Amino acid sequence: MPFKTNAARRHHIPKQKHRVTNWVEYDAGLRARGSLTVWFTPEAIEAWKAEPRTGRGGQPTYSALAIATALTLRAVFRLVLRQTEGLIGSILQLLGLDLAVPDHSTLSRRAETLEVMRPRCGREPVHLLVDSTGLRLCGPGSWLEEKHGSKRRRAWKMLHLATDADTGQIVASVLTDRDADDGSQVGPLLDRVDGSVAAFIGDGAYDRDDVYAEVAAHHPDAAVVVPPRSSAVPSVAAETAPTQRDAHLQCIAERGRMGWQRASGYNWRALVEADISRWKRVIGDGLRLRTDGRQATEVAIAVNLLNRMLELGRPEYVRVA
């Protein structure tokens, strides 16, 4: 089921037969991604300290904004928590701000329950690209393992992402144990999408009845663009009430798989692989925090960071041949 997407707003530049039309602005945006300019708005300064608690319990010193700011800078520079504490202190000193610096223990503890703002979709229905990747859990380095003669099985978690094909923005993410398969996370991903979905596009791992059912339950009008496996056969009701999967099989039979990919829009799925590559290059391929709650916060902070960096500059291009 074909769809159109505004490729001019994507952050990836096609390799051939396209010309960037906003090179000056895009070039400036790329430089801005590395800028060390830091400023605190009056509203941020006012909100740095936590609001007084009205119920029982200890009074927090720092607001969620202060903790999120520190954890964001930590992700940008790939720092450990003690280094993050030092960086925040240096910034506040350079800016002449009389604000308290959250210590590394506070950052670690507050990360467990920190509520991070979820990404928001635009008004138009999104074409959702989904995929997953592994993130290693940071632990003893190879030097320690060699010194003490012990080997530990590498631990991983799976990061499931859903991105907007038009903008490249990550609109939903789910972090699971490594045993969780891609199809089982379609429901949790769609639960986190703040907006309507025009199409759900994934690789062959999503060729499952429960995936089609989840998409239909959340967004009845959404197209599901998933390649059927090579051994797939039409459903019993293919002649009278064909499903979306039946339509894919029919198109493949008539045009071949490459023709189906072009007609259905499946080729756009490669863009989510580029987004995962960007995650690994900018954020890294591991998780530094230890507990499930803190790791979920770490991922949410990274999502907002990458989306913010993407907003600083995108290429606009036109086909020239």
Side-chain angles (χ1 to χ4, degrees):
M1 296 166 196
F3 71 91
K4 296 181 180 180
T5 183
N6 183 9
R9 293 192 294 171
R10 283 292 289 169
H11 59 294
H12 302 289
I13 304 176
K15 294 181 179 179
Q16 297 178 350
K17 300 182 180 179
H18 289 79
R19 177 172 59 86
V20 176
T21 59
N22 67 329
W23 183 256
V24 174
E25 295 82 2
Y26 179 54
D27 187 53
L30 293 179
R31 292 196 301 271
R33 294 183 186 182
S35 173
L36 292 177
T37 303
V38 179
W39 70 93
F40 279 60
T41 64
E43 293 79 10
I45 296 173
E46 183 68 23
W48 189 261
K49 186 176 181 180
E51 292 287 337
R53 177 176 290 170
T54 57
R56 300 177 63 182
Q59 173 62 44
T61 303
Y62 308 99
S63 66
L65 172 66
I67 302 301
T69 299
L71 293 178
T72 299
L73 289 174
R74 169 188 172 275
V76 170
F77 297 105
R78 300 194 188 186
L79 302 175
V80 296
L81 292 176
R82 282 180 172 84
Q83 294 172 351
T84 303
E85 179 184 347
L87 176 62
I88 294 295
S90 298
I91 291 174
L92 295 178
Q93 182 180 6
L94 290 171
L95 295 177
L97 297 175
D98 184 19
L99 297 175
V101 179
D103 61 83
H104 58 276
S105 297
T106 298
L107 293 176
S108 177
R109 175 175 50 83
R110 291 284 299 276
E112 182 73 32
T113 57
L114 182 68
E115 294 186 5
V116 182
M117 183 178 297
R118 290 184 181 179
R120 295 185 176 274
C121 301
R123 296 181 179 179
E124 297 296 326
V126 298
H127 296 89
L128 213 59
L129 312 176
V130 295
D131 204 353
S132 66
T133 187
L135 295 178
R136 60 185 177 84
L137 303 182
C138 295
S142 58
W143 179 81
L144 284 176
E145 291 179 352
E146 182 177 349
K147 178 181 177 181
H148 295 286
S150 62
K151 291 290 183 181
R152 189 180 71 172
R153 186 178 182 183
R154 278 196 168 185
W156 296 81
K157 283 201 169 182
M158 295 301 297
L159 173 64
H160 305 263
L161 292 179
T163 66
D164 184 346
D166 288 342
T167 65
Q169 297 273 347
I170 301 172
V171 297
S173 64
V174 175
L175 188 66
T176 66
D177 293 334
R178 63 182 179 182
D179 297 329
D181 61 89
D182 291 350
S184 66
Q185 300 307 307
V186 170
L189 278 174
L190 292 176
D191 288 339
R192 289 166 169 78
V193 176
D194 180 27
S196 58
V197 174
F200 176 94
I201 307 170
D203 60 21
Y206 298 93
D207 181 32
R208 297 168 26 166
D209 291 340
D210 57 343
V211 170
Y212 282 87
E214 283 285 1
V215 176
H218 286 79
H219 304 279
D221 297 328
V224 179
V225 182
V226 173
R229 61 194 58 145
S230 58
S231 59
V233 296
S235 66
V236 177
E239 295 294 333
T240 56
T243 64
Q244 291 196 57
R245 191 168 185 266
D246 291 331
H248 293 322
L249 289 171
Q250 179 65 27
C251 184
I252 291 172
E254 296 174 353
R255 306 188 185 187
R257 285 199 172 261
M258 296 303 295
W260 170 81
Q261 289 184 18
R262 291 189 293 269
S264 64
Y266 178 75
N267 288 337
W268 289 104
R269 197 199 65 83
L271 297 177
V272 71
E273 296 178 355
D275 290 323
I276 289 176
S277 174
R278 182 164 58 98
W279 183 295
K280 297 295 183 70
R281 286 183 285 108
V282 176
I283 303 300
D285 63 352
L287 295 166
R288 293 179 177 270
L289 300 179
R290 300 300 178 90
T291 68
D292 292 343
R294 295 168 191 178
Q295 290 166 356
T297 297
E298 187 175 0
V299 166
I301 291 287
V303 167
N304 288 342
L305 169 61
L306 289 174
N307 286 345
R308 177 57 180 160
M309 292 179 68
L310 189 58
E311 290 173 359
L312 293 175
R314 300 192 190 100
E316 297 178 1
Y317 52 85
V318 295
R319 185 184 294 273
V320 297

